[in-house]
């Protein structure tokens, strides 16, 4: 600790979205001084430095299912992706739904996390208010842990009243099984429909994921959320985040709420603007995720919102399952994209599909603002020295050594323009040239 050093001849993406060339001085884990000799609107040809990314939605499955992905391995994947802060979801086994469990999980992260972290509490009726030391509460409107889903407007309103920050998985599970059973029975009864379904999905013999969890589930969830929101007096409403937006309906709803001045934010994940239900069908369980991938129209609406600010920030929803679990008859849902997070977003930006200004917001600044994370997400004097060093030499997907225990590359066709060469967490080199520096580098982002 107490280390002082300089990075000379650096090129870094500043908080003004310009690339600055000069010297970065770091002391005690923070950026003490930025001396910019000149600035340009594109990065230099060699290496450049960006703020360490913030991934506000990951499922590191410790405690409970460390065989799927524990804290040490999950945060190693983060380092490879240029991610220096993760916010971890509460659908553990058992779920993080009490203050005692939250404390136990904090102790585990303090022992093991290679990156900075914050934790969510799972919301339940009669559950506690999330303490200041938590990112907020997560509401599951579809069952995702041992706890029952929270779906009714009355229940939602109760949680809205009690909490300050709420992130919601907006799929009402009541639309799943009935919708699925209805179509399934129709399929069984009428040869004609069966024939067409069978022709379209011969390998499954059952409805594809996006029809088992139809759009109607998202629409119903938004309706209940809106009803609950109206029932709660404005002063008692929380900040509301719609997690992993995947449909035109969510994008439109959040845009409307923002226009009306509500404290409503939108998150999406790379898979919702890179893939559609066609890809899901083509690649099978690898891209089976909740909420499901949807149509080209949805994908385009999500990406338009990424570009224009309708989406506030991007997260991975890193949801690892073992290859053998994904190969089972009823595979679990989830895509594990944490180790490609930086390279994906940076490549899109380098291609000109996202502006550098938007990049800064999407990759950390807005998540930090939304969840009250101080001193992270931007390269500026006084901030923590959470930095990703980007190189123009991306690893070829086929040769890459995959870190996540999910062991599947979600974006094998994506042409990466860059890779992460090194990652610094709180001013300490934590990962470089494919090698990890052992040790706990992260700290809790609250308190
Ligand atoms: C999540 C998981 O595996 O924890 N999966 C996913 O597809 N996003 C849980 C969930 O949100 O259903
Ligand atoms: Zn999730």
């Amino acid at each position: 600790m107490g280390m002082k050093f300089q990075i000379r001849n650096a090129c870094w993406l500043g908080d003004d979205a310009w690339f600055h060339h000069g010297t970065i001085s770091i002391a005690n884990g923070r950026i003490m001084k930025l001396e910019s000799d000149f600035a340009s609107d594109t990065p230099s040809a060699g290496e450049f430095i960006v703020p360490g990314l913030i991934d506000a939605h990951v499922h590191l499955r410790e405690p409970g299912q460390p065989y799927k992905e524990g804290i040490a391995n999950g945060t190693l994947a983060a380092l490879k992706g240029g991610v220096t802060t993760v916010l971890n979801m509460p659908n553990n086994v058992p779920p993080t739904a009490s203050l005692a469990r939250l404390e136990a999980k904090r102790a585990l992260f303090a022992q093991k996390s290679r990156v900075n972290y914050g934790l969510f509490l799972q919301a339940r009726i009669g559950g506690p208010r999330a303490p200041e030391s938590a990112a907020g509460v997560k509401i599951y409107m579809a069952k995702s842990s041992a706890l029952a889903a929270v779906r009714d407007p009355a229940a939602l309103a109760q949680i809205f009243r009690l909490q300050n920050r709420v992130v919601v998985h907006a799929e009402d599970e009541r639309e799943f099984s009935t919708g699925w059973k209805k179509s399934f029975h129709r399929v069984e009864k009428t040869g004609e429909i069966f024939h067409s379904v069978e022709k379209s999905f011969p390998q499954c013999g059952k409805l594809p994921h996006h029809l088992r969890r139809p759009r109607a589930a998202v629409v119903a969830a938004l309706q209940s959320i809106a009803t609950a929101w109206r029932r709660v007096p404005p002063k008692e409403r929380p900040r509301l985040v719609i997690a992993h937006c995947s449909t035109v309906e969510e994008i439109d709803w959040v845009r409307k709420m923002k226009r009306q001045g509500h404290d409503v934010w939108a998150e999406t994940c790379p898979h919702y603007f890179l893939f559609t239900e066609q890809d899901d069908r083509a690649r099978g369980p690898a891209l089976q995720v909740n909420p499901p991938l949807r149509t080209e129209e949805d994908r385009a609406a999500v990406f338009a919102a990424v570009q224009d600010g309708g989406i506030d920030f991007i997260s991975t929803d890193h949801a690892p399952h073992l290859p053998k679990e994904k190969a089972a008859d009823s595979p679990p849902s989830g895509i594990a994209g944490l180790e490609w997070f930086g390279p994906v977003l940076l490549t899109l930006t380098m291609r000109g599909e996202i502006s550098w200004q938007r990049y800064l917001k999407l990759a950390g600044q807005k998540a930090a603002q939304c969840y009250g994370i101080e001193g992270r997400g931007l390269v500026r004097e006084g901030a923590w020295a959470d930095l990703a060093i980007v190189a123009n030499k991306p690893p070829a997907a086929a040769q890459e050594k995959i870190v996540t225990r999910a062991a599947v590359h979600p974006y094998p066709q994506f042409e990466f323009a860059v890779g992460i060469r090194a990652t610094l967490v709180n001013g300490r080199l934590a990962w470089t040239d494919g090698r990890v520096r052992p040790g706990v580098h992260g700290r809790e982002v609250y308190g």
Side-chain angles (χ1 to χ4, degrees), residues 59 61 91 140 144 169 213 244 288-290 317 319 321 333-334:
H59 298 267
R61 307 195 190 275
N91 61 335
Y140 283 99
S144 183
H169 181 129
R213 296 175 74 116
H244 37 50
Q288 180 186 313
V289 62
N290 299 331
D317 190 13
H321 300 284
S333 297

Coordinates of all heavy atoms in Angstrom, one line a residue, residues 59 61 91 140 144 169 213 244 288-290 317 319 321 333-334, ligand 1:
H59 N -24.0 -12.8 -11.8 CA -24.4 -13.9 -10.9 C -23.2 -14.8 -10.6 O -22.9 -15.7 -11.3 CB -25.5 -14.8 -11.6 CG -26.7 -14.1 -11.9 ND1 -27.8 -14.0 -11.1 CD2 -27.1 -13.4 -13.0 CE1 -28.8 -13.3 -11.6 NE2 -28.4 -12.9 -12.8
R61 N -21.8 -17.3 -8.2 CA -22.8 -18.2 -7.4 C -22.2 -18.7 -6.1 O -22.3 -19.9 -5.8 CB -23.2 -19.3 -8.4 CG -23.8 -18.8 -9.7 CD -24.5 -19.8 -10.4 NE -24.9 -19.5 -11.8 CZ -26.0 -18.8 -12.1 NH1 -26.8 -18.3 -11.2 NH2 -26.3 -18.5 -13.4
N91 N -29.7 -14.2 -6.3 CA -30.4 -15.5 -6.4 C -29.5 -16.7 -6.1 O -29.5 -17.7 -6.9 CB -31.1 -15.7 -7.8 CG -30.1 -15.6 -8.9 OD1 -29.0 -15.1 -8.8 ND2 -30.5 -16.2 -10.0
Y140 N -37.6 -10.3 -8.5 CA -37.8 -11.3 -9.5 C -39.3 -11.5 -9.7 O -40.0 -12.0 -8.8 CB -37.2 -12.6 -9.1 CG -35.7 -12.7 -9.3 CD1 -34.9 -12.5 -8.2 CD2 -35.1 -12.9 -10.5 CE1 -33.5 -12.5 -8.3 CE2 -33.7 -12.9 -10.7 CZ -32.9 -12.7 -9.6 OH -31.6 -12.7 -9.8
S144 N -36.7 -17.3 -9.5 CA -35.3 -17.5 -9.9 C -34.4 -18.0 -8.7 O -33.2 -18.1 -8.8 CB -34.7 -16.2 -10.4 OG -33.4 -16.3 -10.8
H169 N -36.5 -7.7 -12.6 CA -36.6 -8.7 -13.7 C -38.0 -8.7 -14.1 O -38.9 -9.3 -13.5 CB -36.1 -10.0 -13.2 CG -36.1 -11.1 -14.3 ND1 -34.9 -11.8 -14.6 CD2 -37.0 -11.4 -15.3 CE1 -35.2 -12.6 -15.6 NE2 -36.4 -12.4 -16.0
R213 N -41.5 -18.4 -22.9 CA -41.5 -17.2 -22.1 C -41.9 -16.0 -23.0 O -41.0 -15.3 -23.5 CB -40.2 -16.9 -21.4 CG -39.8 -18.0 -20.4 CD -38.4 -17.8 -19.9 NE -38.3 -16.8 -18.9 CZ -38.0 -17.0 -17.6 NH1 -37.8 -18.2 -17.1 NH2 -37.9 -16.0 -16.7
H244 N -32.0 -5.8 -17.8 CA -31.9 -6.5 -19.1 C -33.0 -6.2 -20.0 O -33.7 -7.2 -20.4 CB -31.6 -8.0 -18.9 CG -32.3 -8.7 -17.8 ND1 -33.6 -8.6 -17.6 CD2 -31.8 -9.5 -16.8 CE1 -33.9 -9.3 -16.5 NE2 -32.8 -9.8 -16.0
Q288 N -29.6 -19.7 -24.7 CA -30.9 -19.7 -23.9 C -30.7 -18.8 -22.7 O -29.8 -19.1 -21.8 CB -31.3 -21.1 -23.6 CG -32.6 -21.1 -22.8 CD -33.0 -22.4 -22.3 OE1 -33.0 -23.4 -23.0 NE2 -33.3 -22.5 -21.0
V289 N -31.5 -17.8 -22.6 CA -31.3 -16.8 -21.5 C -32.6 -16.2 -21.1 O -33.6 -16.2 -21.9 CB -30.3 -15.7 -22.0 CG1 -30.9 -14.9 -23.2 CG2 -29.9 -14.8 -20.9
N290 N -32.7 -15.8 -19.9 CA -33.9 -15.1 -19.4 C -33.6 -13.6 -19.1 O -32.6 -13.4 -18.4 CB -34.4 -15.7 -18.1 CG -34.8 -17.2 -18.3 OD1 -35.2 -17.5 -19.4 ND2 -34.7 -17.9 -17.3
D317 N -25.2 -9.5 -17.2 CA -26.0 -10.6 -16.7 C -25.3 -11.9 -16.7 O -25.9 -12.9 -17.1 CB -27.4 -10.7 -17.4 CG -28.4 -11.6 -16.7 OD1 -28.1 -12.0 -15.5 OD2 -29.4 -11.9 -17.3
A319 N -24.3 -15.2 -16.3 CA -25.1 -16.2 -15.6 C -24.6 -17.6 -16.0 O -25.1 -18.2 -16.9 CB -26.6 -16.1 -16.0
H321 N -23.5 -21.4 -16.3 CA -23.9 -22.8 -15.9 C -22.9 -23.7 -16.6 O -22.4 -23.4 -17.7 CB -25.3 -23.1 -16.5 CG -26.4 -22.2 -15.9 ND1 -26.9 -22.3 -14.7 CD2 -27.0 -21.1 -16.5 CE1 -27.8 -21.4 -14.5 NE2 -27.9 -20.6 -15.5
S333 N -31.1 -21.4 -18.0 CA -30.9 -20.2 -18.8 C -29.7 -19.4 -18.3 O -29.5 -19.3 -17.1 CB -32.2 -19.4 -18.8 OG -33.2 -20.1 -19.4
G334 N -29.0 -18.8 -19.2 CA -28.0 -17.9 -18.8 C -26.8 -17.8 -19.8 O -26.5 -18.9 -20.4
Ligands
LIG1 C1 -30.2 -16.2 -14.3 C2 -29.3 -17.1 -13.6 O1 -28.9 -18.1 -14.1 O2 -29.1 -16.8 -12.4 N1 -30.4 -16.6 -15.7 C3 -30.6 -15.9 -16.8 O3 -30.9 -16.4 -17.8 N2 -30.5 -14.5 -16.7 C4 -31.5 -16.1 -13.6 C5 -32.7 -15.5 -14.2 O4 -32.6 -14.2 -14.3 O5 -33.6 -16.1 -14.6

